[in-house]
Amino acid sequence: MAVEAVTVPADLAPLVRAGIADCVAHLGAPSASFAVPAWGKWARLVTDTRNAKGWPRVFADGRGLTDALLSIWEGIEPVGMSGGHLRDLYADFLDEAAPLVGDTAAAASAFREAGRRWHDLAEAALPADVPEYQRLRELTADLAAGVAAGDEGAEARATAAGELWTLRADLYEKPPADTDFAALGTCLSTVYEAERDAVDALREVL
């Protein structure tokens, strides 16, 4: 997609401020499914041994756990097919928006901190020191690179996709290493706290 012409509104400030307000309204909502409280709920479920949806029960035999862990890493790291938590990108936007809406430094810093916490979670979910997990990471990155390359990447992405699906199938029944659910829960709790702080800082911009 190429943008060939842009009409810039005479006054961008109200539009930028409205966009920030929309972000606060959505992330700052009380919903435990579609807003920041969802991360707190997820943190609890990762260690909950009583809840039927708790990870220790859902993945008691290890079946499907590798796919779940890969989905965490892929969804957070920008090399994934649909990944990239985008917190750093949003922080860059806040830096650029400062001349229009006032001091955004604290909010930008808070979103970058949230980005670091998300990265910690990705590393905890799919640690690189487990050879099979490292290979999953490499293949996911190779596949994403092949897609980005367009027609020229067709052969590379087909090769990466084939090996990726084979390895995922091999690891589906049982992951190659024990997963520390308590550590994952701690990472998620930290993500929740950082996201909450980021939204609070964003409110101050308004």
Side-chain angles (χ1 to χ4, degrees):
M1 180 181 296
V3 179
E4 297 180 348
V6 176
T7 300
V8 181
D11 189 0
L12 280 174
L15 302 178
V16 173
R17 191 173 292 276
I20 293 174
D22 194 53
C23 184
V24 169
H26 283 80
L27 286 180
S31 171
S33 298
F34 303 104
V36 167
W39 310 130
K41 177 182 178 181
W42 187 14
R44 293 189 296 273
L45 285 176
V46 164
T47 59
D48 196 334
T49 58
R50 296 184 178 182
N51 193 313
K53 295 182 179 180
W55 281 39
R57 293 188 64 179
V58 172
F59 299 114
D61 60 358
R63 193 168 188 266
L65 178 57
T66 297
D67 279 355
L69 297 173
L70 176 60
S71 73
I72 294 174
W73 185 83
E74 184 184 27
I76 295 170
E77 297 302 315
V79 296
M81 292 297 293
S82 59
H85 46 66
L86 306 182
R87 270 44 181 181
D88 290 333
L89 182 63
Y90 195 75
D92 290 345
F93 153 71
L94 290 173
D95 287 339
E96 294 180 9
L100 297 173
V101 299
D103 186 7
T104 59
S109 177
F111 271 93
R112 289 192 174 96
E113 177 63 18
R116 286 189 287 271
R117 297 306 180 182
W118 277 110
H119 176 71
D120 291 343
L121 173 61
E123 290 295 321
L126 211 67
D129 59 359
V130 178
E132 293 87 348
Y133 288 162
Q134 174 61 20
R135 189 58 183 151
L136 285 173
R137 291 162 58 139
E138 292 170 350
L139 291 168
T140 302
D142 290 346
L143 179 56
V147 171
D151 291 343
E152 294 181 359
E155 183 177 351
R157 67 174 175 261
T159 300
E163 186 178 344
L164 178 61
W165 283 106
T166 297
L167 183 55
R168 286 180 59 175
D170 290 344
L171 299 176
Y172 183 80
E173 294 297 331
K174 185 174 178 59
D178 292 335
T179 297
D180 188 340
F181 289 124
L184 278 182
T186 298
C187 284
L188 274 165
S189 293
T190 305
V191 164
Y192 165 67
E193 293 166 1
E195 290 276 311
R196 181 194 59 201
D197 292 346
V199 173
D200 287 344
L202 199 59
R203 284 194 181 95
E204 295 299 316
V205 174
L206 299 175

